[in-house]
Structures are given as structure tokens and as C-alpha cells.
Amino acid sequence: PGGRTGRTGRIVTRADQWAAFVRAVLALTAIALITATTLVEALKIGPAAAGLLYLLPVLWVSAQAGLSAGLASAGFAAFCYNFFLLEPHFTLRIHGPGDAVAFMVLVVVAVVTSRLASGLRTREREARERAEASAAEADFVALLAKARDRDALDAMALDFLALRYGDVLLVRREDIESKRTGLAPIDAAAAAWALHNGEHSGHASEVMPSADYAFVALSPGGDDVLALPAGESAGA
């Protein structure tokens, strides 16, 4: 619960948001350490080498925490490079065309690498989710093929889903139409909407998202609706 839907349609939980924040802080800390190390004259790293080192935490956080964290890190790296390492020091002015070119190259490369790393991360996650969904679907179909009647089919399906998504409910058409679902009014309304429209409704959807359950019609024009608790549907 408490999650939100990301740009890719994936539910982003508070744990995901917290992990992204921690990784962003680590990247900013790494950039600060690179800056401090470069300012130690005895080490003689130089601004050019520091500019390349800045790309490492930017690339890492983009791959681990997404584009927003990557762009924030790229912006911080550009600020540190300009303010601390380029002459005149401790100002945002840039001295000479060479330094201006170096600064612009750092900004462009940092932004581009952020976008590339974030895109690769998104595609990798989508491929993994598709593979997991395909495997689960194959297991589900194989299990249902063993059912001998409707009651056995329902029981086996609920047991299978409960192992993966927690405590799920099967809401019958007759219960929805007679208003005997035992659900809260908003959940009962979301279940009825899912049944009659054959689409998702309830928690984390565009239809009655404040409901405690997410509802999935098992088939268009069917008689049953699957209800997943909010905490479980966020990870489904």
C-alpha cells in the first residue's frame, strides 16, 4: 500500500522509493568525495580526470534508481565541476572557451548516459517481468488442466494465486448482483464495474483507486471477479 504507478505502468512501492533515495544519496556522496579528492593538490588528479570520474556514480545511480536520480546526480556533478574545479574557483563563471567546452561535454555526456542507463534498466525489468509472467501462466494452465469440475477448478486456482499474491478472494456474479459480497461499498462497486466491463478496477487502477482490493474479471462476460488485497496487488 502507499505505492504509485510509474511511467512504465509498474507499481512503485514506498520501499522502491526509499531504495532509490538511498542510492541517489550514495551517488551524490561519491561525487562530493571525487570533488574533495581532486582539490587535494598533492594527489594531482586534475579537473579532466575528475570529469570522467563523475560519470561513474551518475551511470551507476541511473541504472539502479532510474532517470530522475541520474539527472539529479548529473546536475550535481556539473555544479561541483564548475564551482570547485574550473577557474575561477568557487564561482559559477567559466574562464576561457576550453573550460566552457569541458563543462558542456560533461553535462551532455552525463545526461545521455543517465538516459541510456535508465532505459536499459527499464527494458531489463520489463523482460524479467514478462519471463516471470510467462512462467507463472504456464504453471497455472498446467495446474488447471488437472481439475475435474468447477469447484475443484476454483479451489486450485485460488490456492495457486494465494501462494504468489497472498489472501485472494473470488467474488461471484450472483453475490455482486444481490449485493452480498461482504465487501465495503467502494470495493463492491469496483467489483461490479470489473465484472460488467471486463477490465481491472479498484486499488492502483484508474477506476476507484481508493478501494482496498484490486479487482480482475477472469474473462469477458464471465461470472467471477478476482479480488487481490491492496498490499498484494502492489507487488503483482
Side-chain angles (χ1 to χ4, degrees):
R4 60 179 176 83
T5 303
R7 292 181 180 179
T8 62
R10 175 178 175 268
I11 301 300
V12 181
T13 65
R14 288 180 180 175
D16 293 331
Q17 295 171 3
W18 175 248
F21 172 77
V22 170
R23 288 165 178 152
V25 169
L26 290 176
L28 297 180
T29 302
I31 291 170
L33 290 175
I34 291 170
T35 304
T37 302
T38 307
L39 291 174
V40 178
E41 294 185 5
L43 298 178
K44 297 181 179 180
I45 292 178
L52 294 176
L53 290 175
Y54 282 144
L55 298 179
L56 297 178
V58 171
L59 185 60
W60 175 80
V61 77
S62 299
Q64 296 296 320
L67 181 60
S68 297
L71 292 178
S73 300
F76 183 63
F79 168 79
C80 290
Y81 188 70
N82 185 6
F83 190 80
F84 294 103
L85 305 184
L86 294 183
E87 296 183 356
H89 297 304
F90 311 115
T91 72
L92 294 179
R93 290 186 292 113
I94 299 176
H95 176 71
D99 287 344
V101 170
F103 174 76
M104 291 304 300
V105 168
L106 172 65
V107 172
V108 171
V109 172
V111 171
V112 170
T113 54
S114 294
R115 294 185 65 87
L116 289 175
S118 177
L120 289 173
R121 174 176 176 265
T122 299
R123 286 193 290 272
E124 179 185 5
R125 184 181 63 243
E126 290 174 347
R128 184 171 60 250
E129 290 174 350
R130 284 195 298 269
E132 292 173 352
S134 296
E137 182 178 353
D139 292 341
F140 190 46
V141 171
L143 178 66
L144 296 185
K146 301 176 182 178
R148 296 183 300 274
D149 53 44
R150 174 64 182 273
D151 291 338
L153 180 67
D154 290 345
M156 294 170 69
L158 287 177
D159 288 343
F160 180 89
L161 294 172
L163 287 175
R164 286 158 176 77
Y165 305 124
D167 187 20
V168 297
L169 303 174
L170 189 66
V171 186
R172 305 283 193 184
R173 174 185 289 273
E174 54 265 27
D175 292 332
I176 294 175
E177 292 178 347
S178 62
K179 299 182 180 180
R180 292 187 289 104
T181 61
L183 299 170
I186 189 171
D187 287 284
W193 193 95
L195 178 68
H196 293 127
N197 292 275
E199 298 180 6
H200 296 185
S201 66
H203 180 77
S205 74
E206 296 181 356
V207 180
M208 289 172 271
S210 59
D212 293 328
Y213 288 85
F215 296 93
V216 182
L218 296 185
S219 63
D223 294 328
D224 300 325
V225 173
L226 191 67
L228 288 80
E232 307 300 336
S233 61

